């Protein structure tokens, strides 16, 4: 093999292959190789080096730029509280203490990744200012629980109000139409950095945005979901989708935001859950179109929507809520019963090409 021709290639600083200094690669052709194509060579080394180092210069620069931007953003939200000297780090420690019933120093060190000596000095300062107190752990004389005093809780409340004002001022220039996109982007970044394994699925639950405002295209997409997902899932025939279209059309003809409301759960901008309350009379409301996409069931989306529904009905002082479902929707039945609905009627009937038991559920005086 020593007699085979060699081809040196110099890669200059700043090239796609070398980010630090000029270097030389030498390629030796095999006995069966007649020629070497520069394009093939560049492609080969590009793929090889990217496999060795998937963190490309563009990615690194983007992260650095974002980190700088995030630092500026954080500084804008960490303006000192008027008439108080505590730093943002000290407020973070107080906040962490407030969130735990039996807080220990070791827990704070692990959770906040804070230097033990620095934390010890900070806690002594808090005690001197009567912001925290300590009590011994039963059967462990070496360990103490840390808790906020009344003064500490009051300070945190002032700090929370101060930070809320800062966030409101920060978000004022952001159009409302961009709020959902902003929330999704923030959750995506958290998901990416919280994953310890690239194959792990992120926690989707907190990435779902709930709203009760109708936007252009929402009703059309809800009709699509009923026709393409719920209808086939329940075995309904082609008459189901036209029925849904008529129902939503009737809903919009009489929709009154004072008495009626529709709730939507969205994931990455797409609707994955919904429900609606339609006023039937001054004291009676009907729950309609309760739906959660199969890919997002079992994550608490249904209960979140239901709690919002019940809170709205309580605010409007509805004395009774009813909903119609079928015996082929056991998850819906279980949810209704879990929040206090009771089955009040059932009949065997034909619905959209099949026979089912249509069931009525009622919830009475739930707000009292």
């Amino acid at each position: 093999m020593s007699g085979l021709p060699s081809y040196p290639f110099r890669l200059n600083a700043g090239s796609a292959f070398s980010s630090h200094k000029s270097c030389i690669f030498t390629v030796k052709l095999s006995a069966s190789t007649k020629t070497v194509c520069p394009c093939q060579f560049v492609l080969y080394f590009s793929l090889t080096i990217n496999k060795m180092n998937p963190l490309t210069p563009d990615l690194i620069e983007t992260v650095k730029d974002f980190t700088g931007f995030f630092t500026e953003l954080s500084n804008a939200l960490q303006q000192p509280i008027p008439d108080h000297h505590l730093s943002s780090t000290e407020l973070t420690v107080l906040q962490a203490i407030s969130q735990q019933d039996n807080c220990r120093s070791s827990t704070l060190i692990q959770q906040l990744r804070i230097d033990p000596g620095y934390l010890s000095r900070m806690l002594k300062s808090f005690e001197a200012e009567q912001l925290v107190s300590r009590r011994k752990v039963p059967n462990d004389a070496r360990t103490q629980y840390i808790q906020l005093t009344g003064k500490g809780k009051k300070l945190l409340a002032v700090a929370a109000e101060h930070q809320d004002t800062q966030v409101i001022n920060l978000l004022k220039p952001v159009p409302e139409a961009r709020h959902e996109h902003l929330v999704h982007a923030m959750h995506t970044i958290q998901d990416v950095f919280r994953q310890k394994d690239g194959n792990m699925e992120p926690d989707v639950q907190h990435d779902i945005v709930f709203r009760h405002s109708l936007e252009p295209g929402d009703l059309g997409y809800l009709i699509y979901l009923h026709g393409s997902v719920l209808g086939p899932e329940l075995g309904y025939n082609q008459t189901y989708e036209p029925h849904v279209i008529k129902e939503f059309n009737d809903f919009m003809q009489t929709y009154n935001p004072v008495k009626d409301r529709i709730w939507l759960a969205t994931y990455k901008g797409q609707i994955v859950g919904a429900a609606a309350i339609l006023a039937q009379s001054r004291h009676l409301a009907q729950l309609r179109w309760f739906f959660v996409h199969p890919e997002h069931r079992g994550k608490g989306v249904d209960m979140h929507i239901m709690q919002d529904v019940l809170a709205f009905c309580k605010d409007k002082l509805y004395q009774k809520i009813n909903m119609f479902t079928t015996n082929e929707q056991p998850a819906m039945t279980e949810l209704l019963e879990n929040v206090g609905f009771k089955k009040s009627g059932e009949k065997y009937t034909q619905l959209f090409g099949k026979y089912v038991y249509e069931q009525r559920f009622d919830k009475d005086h739930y707000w009292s």
Side-chain angles (χ1 to χ4, degrees):
M1 298 292 288
S2 60
L4 295 176
S6 298
Y7 294 85
F9 290 83
R10 178 175 296 276
L11 303 180
N12 295 322
S15 72
F17 305 125
S18 174
S19 58
H20 299 291
K21 58 184 179 181
S22 176
C23 56
I24 296 178
F25 289 97
T26 299
V27 176
K28 288 191 175 183
L29 302 181
S30 67
S32 61
T33 304
K34 301 298 183 182
T35 59
V36 60
C37 172
C39 293
Q40 291 175 333
F41 172 78
V42 171
L43 177 61
Y44 169 77
F45 266 95
S46 176
L47 293 174
T48 302
I49 291 177
N50 280 335
K51 284 182 179 179
M52 292 188 295
N53 180 19
L55 301 179
T56 63
D58 284 346
L59 174 60
I60 292 172
E61 287 302 315
T62 300
V63 172
K64 286 164 61 179
D65 288 345
F66 177 79
T67 302
F69 172 77
F70 181 75
T71 300
E72 294 178 10
L73 201 64
S74 298
N75 290 338
L77 295 175
Q78 292 178 0
Q79 299 301 316
I81 303 173
D83 303 322
H84 216 286
H85 65 279
L86 292 185
S87 67
S88 60
T89 302
E90 290 170 321
L91 287 172
T92 299
V93 172
L94 288 175
Q95 183 68 36
I97 294 172
S98 72
Q99 294 171 346
Q100 303 175 45
D101 292 332
N102 296 313
C103 181
R104 308 184 189 205
S105 296
S106 57
T107 306
L108 293 174
I109 292 169
Q110 182 178 12
Q111 177 184 345
L112 303 177
R113 298 179 181 179
I114 193 170
D115 178 74
Y118 179 41
L119 177 64
S120 177
R121 294 190 297 273
M122 191 184 300
L123 292 176
K124 288 180 181 178
S125 174
F126 289 163
E127 282 187 289
E129 296 185 59
Q130 298 181 338
L131 299 176
V132 303
S133 61
R134 307 196 206 201
R135 56 187 173 88
K136 292 182 179 180
V137 176
N139 304 321
D140 188 352
R142 298 173 301 174
T143 308
Q144 294 178 317
Y145 289 140
I146 310 164
Q147 58 191 18
L148 292 184
T149 62
K151 183 178 179 181
K153 293 177 182 178
K154 183 177 180 180
L155 174 63
L156 268 191
V158 172
E161 184 177 354
H162 178 66
Q163 191 172 46
D164 286 350
T165 301
Q166 291 177 320
V167 172
I168 291 171
N169 291 334
L170 183 70
L171 293 176
K172 277 182 179 178
V174 181
E176 185 177 353
R178 301 284 288 171
H179 288 179
E180 184 176 339
H181 178 75
L182 177 64
V183 170
H184 169 66
M186 289 178 170
H187 284 159
T188 298
I189 292 172
Q190 292 180 58
D191 281 338
V192 169
F193 282 99
R194 282 173 176 165
Q195 292 180 44
K196 297 179 181 178
D197 183 337
N199 295 322
M200 286 178 61
E201 287 291 330
D203 178 10
V204 178
Q205 169 57 35
H206 68 69
D207 215 13
I208 293 178
V209 177
F210 298 89
R211 58 181 168 88
H212 56 79
S213 58
L214 281 173
E215 298 178 0
D218 282 346
L219 290 182
Y221 197 74
L222 284 173
I223 293 170
Y224 164 76
L225 288 175
H226 278 76
S228 64
V229 179
L230 187 59
E233 183 179 43
L234 297 176
Y236 293 159
N237 63 17
Q238 69 275 12
T239 64
Y240 176 62
E241 191 168 353
H243 172 77
V244 175
I245 293 173
K246 182 180 183 305
E247 283 194 326
F248 275 112
N249 180 65
D250 293 343
F251 167 69
M252 289 308 299
Q253 297 301 319
T254 61
Y255 176 66
N256 182 343
V258 176
K259 302 183 296 181
D260 310 319
R261 179 160 293 183
I262 190 165
W263 289 265
L264 301 173
T266 64
Y267 176 64
K268 294 185 177 180
Q270 288 196 329
I271 297 172
V272 297
I277 279 289
L278 281 67
Q280 305 296 297
S281 66
R282 174 64 187 86
H283 298 295
L284 173 64
Q286 188 173 76
L287 179 57
R288 303 287 301 276
W289 307 310
F290 204 109
F291 168 79
V292 176
H293 195 284
E295 293 180 2
H296 295 275
R297 293 172 189 170
K299 299 174 181 176
V301 178
D302 54 352
M303 183 57 75
H304 187 118
I305 295 175
M306 181 63 80
Q307 289 173 344
D308 286 349
V309 166
L310 297 182
F312 174 78
C313 291
K314 180 178 181 179
D315 182 62
K316 299 303 177 183
L317 298 182
Y318 287 124
Q319 294 182 5
K320 176 178 284 190
I321 314 168
N322 64 47
M323 180 177 181
F324 290 87
T325 183
T326 72
N327 62 307
E328 296 189 348
Q329 296 172 272
M332 188 71 246
T333 299
E334 181 180 1
L335 176 63
L336 291 170
E337 291 176 340
N338 284 343
V339 295
F341 281 80
K342 298 184 183 300
K343 187 166 70 173
S344 58
E346 182 178 77
K347 67 176 181 179
Y348 191 64
T349 186
Q350 186 177 24
L351 282 179
F352 314 113
K354 63 184 299 186
Y355 283 91
V356 297
Y357 284 96
E358 186 178 41
Q359 301 170 334
R360 171 172 170 156
F361 284 80
D362 289 274
K363 184 173 176 62
D364 297 320
H365 305 293
Y366 98 96
W367 50 266
S368 58

